[in-house]
């Protein structure tokens, strides 16, 4: 069986460690999102739902499925879906300053800005009421429908707390209500390995986004969890 690993060229370089792990453990061949060759298993780390759809139509198992990838990489669609499903979000289409503006398809905090005037409102972007607890958010890793880890990410210098932007991260024990919230979200979406991010508003965890090609730098730098090895084991089991 031929397993292909989909990354953009830029992300493949940035995630060379992960690329090597997938190759060592699954013999996965690295391809770009425009690949349309032979594949029996597709591990899609490109955030492109198009390649997932292409192979799903051929009956090929794709990790993560195209429906999840499409939802996770359109922030406004994800907010609308969660709100309609009874999951609390910070209000979007929000123009009363200050408000947060971010690209609908952004990742890693790129392009996220705090706006101080109503003139900065952009209907093509996500414009959102800020949570009260700035510079503090929660990342939960999900594998095979189960919570695998949770970390609190904190920045003392930026309202964005992304680890890749210099924020710190500490292990976090989910409360009973937070665990129930995460499980409710897991039941709503069909993903294999992904992250769920929350912001804190008045001390309460509020859904922020789904992370499709979720990173693992925090887990490898701060725990003994080999999450990619676990993911590869899961992929093998699902492909038997």
């Amino acid at each position: 069986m031929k397993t292909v690993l989909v990354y953009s060229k830029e992300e493949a370089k940035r995630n060379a460690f992960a690329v090597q792990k997938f190759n060592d453990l699954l013999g996965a061949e690295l391809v770009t999102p425009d690949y349309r060759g032979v594949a029996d298993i597709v591990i899609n780390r490109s955030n492109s739902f198009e390649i997932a759809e292409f192979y799903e139509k051929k009956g090929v198992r794709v990790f993560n499925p195209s429906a999840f990838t499409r939802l996770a990489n359109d922030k406004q669609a994800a907010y609308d879906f969660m709100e309609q499903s009874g999951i609390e979000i910070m209000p979007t289409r929000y123009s009363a300053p200050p408000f947060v503006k971010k690209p609908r398809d952004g990742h890693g905090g790129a392009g996220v800005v705090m706006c101080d005037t109503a003139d900065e409102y952009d209907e093509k972007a996500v414009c959102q009421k800020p949570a009260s607890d700035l510079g503090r958010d929660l990342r939960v890793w999900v594998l095979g429908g189960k919570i695998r880890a949770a970390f609190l990410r904190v920045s003392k210098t930026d309202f964005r707390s992304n680890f890749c932007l210099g924020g710190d991260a500490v292990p976090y024990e989910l409360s009973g209500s937070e665990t129930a919230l995460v499980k409710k979200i897991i039941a709503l979406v069909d993903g294999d390995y992904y992250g769920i991010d929350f912001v804190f508003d008045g001390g309460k965890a509020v859904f922020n986004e789904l992370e499709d090609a979720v990173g693992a730098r925090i887990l490898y730098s701060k725990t003994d969890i080999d999450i990619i090895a676990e993911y590869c084991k899961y992929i093998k089991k699902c492909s038997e």
Side-chain angles (χ1 to χ4, degrees), residues 8-240:
S8 68
K9 290 182 179 180
E10 297 78 11
E11 287 300 302
K13 291 178 181 178
R14 198 169 77 89
N15 293 279
F17 171 78
V19 171
Q20 190 61 54
K21 291 276 289 187
F22 281 115
N23 181 260
D24 291 343
L25 296 172
L26 294 177
E29 176 186 338
L30 178 64
V31 300
T32 55
D34 59 354
Y35 178 80
R36 296 295 185 270
V38 175
D40 299 298
I41 299 170
V42 176
I43 307 168
N44 185 16
R45 302 283 294 170
S46 70
N47 297 316
S48 168
F49 70 86
E50 288 93 345
I51 187 171
E53 281 188 339
F54 175 84
Y55 282 101
E56 285 171 348
K57 289 176 181 177
K58 292 178 174 293
V60 175
R61 178 67 159 92
V62 182
F63 303 82
N64 289 312
S66 62
F68 180 89
T69 296
R70 182 193 285 266
L71 181 66
N73 291 286
D74 184 335
K75 288 182 174 22
Q76 188 62 63
Y79 287 128
D80 292 344
F81 172 79
M82 291 298 170
E83 187 173 33
Q84 292 163 9
S85 302
I87 302 297
E88 184 180 359
I89 65 167
M90 298 306 299
T92 62
R93 302 180 178 89
Y94 187 88
S95 60
F99 62 89
V100 177
K101 182 168 66 175
K102 47 192 168 185
R104 289 180 65 136
D105 61 351
H107 298 281
V112 179
V113 296
M114 187 70 75
C115 298
D116 296 318
T117 67
D119 291 341
E120 296 174 88
Y121 181 83
D122 181 355
E123 63 181 13
K124 295 181 180 180
V126 174
C127 294
Q128 187 173 39
K129 181 179 180 179
S132 63
D133 305 4
L134 296 177
R136 181 172 177 262
D137 78 355
L138 173 65
R139 160 69 56 83
V140 178
W141 283 261
V142 177
L143 175 59
K146 297 180 180 179
I147 299 170
R148 188 61 190 87
F151 266 77
L152 182 68
R153 304 185 299 183
V154 181
S155 175
K156 296 180 180 179
T157 60
D158 198 321
F159 73 94
R160 300 168 299 175
S161 53
N162 304 70
F163 192 62
C164 63
L165 296 178
D168 194 13
V170 294
Y172 185 87
E173 184 174 348
L174 297 169
S175 68
S177 61
E178 289 166 346
T179 299
L181 174 58
V182 173
K183 288 183 176 180
K184 184 176 180 180
I185 294 171
I186 291 172
L188 290 170
V189 299
D190 181 22
D192 298 296
Y193 168 53
Y194 57 95
I196 308 175
D197 291 350
F198 300 87
V199 291
F200 289 93
D201 190 56
K204 180 182 180 182
V206 176
F207 172 81
N208 192 44
E209 63 184 72
L210 296 169
E211 194 67 32
D212 177 22
V214 62
R217 289 175 179 81
I218 294 173
L219 298 185
Y220 281 104
S221 64
K222 297 192 176 274
T223 77
D224 60 0
I225 297 173
D226 190 346
I227 195 68
I228 297 176
E230 293 183 11
Y231 188 24
C232 289
K233 184 177 180 181
Y234 167 84
I235 291 170
K236 286 181 180 178
K237 185 177 180 180
C238 291
S239 305
E240 289 175 349

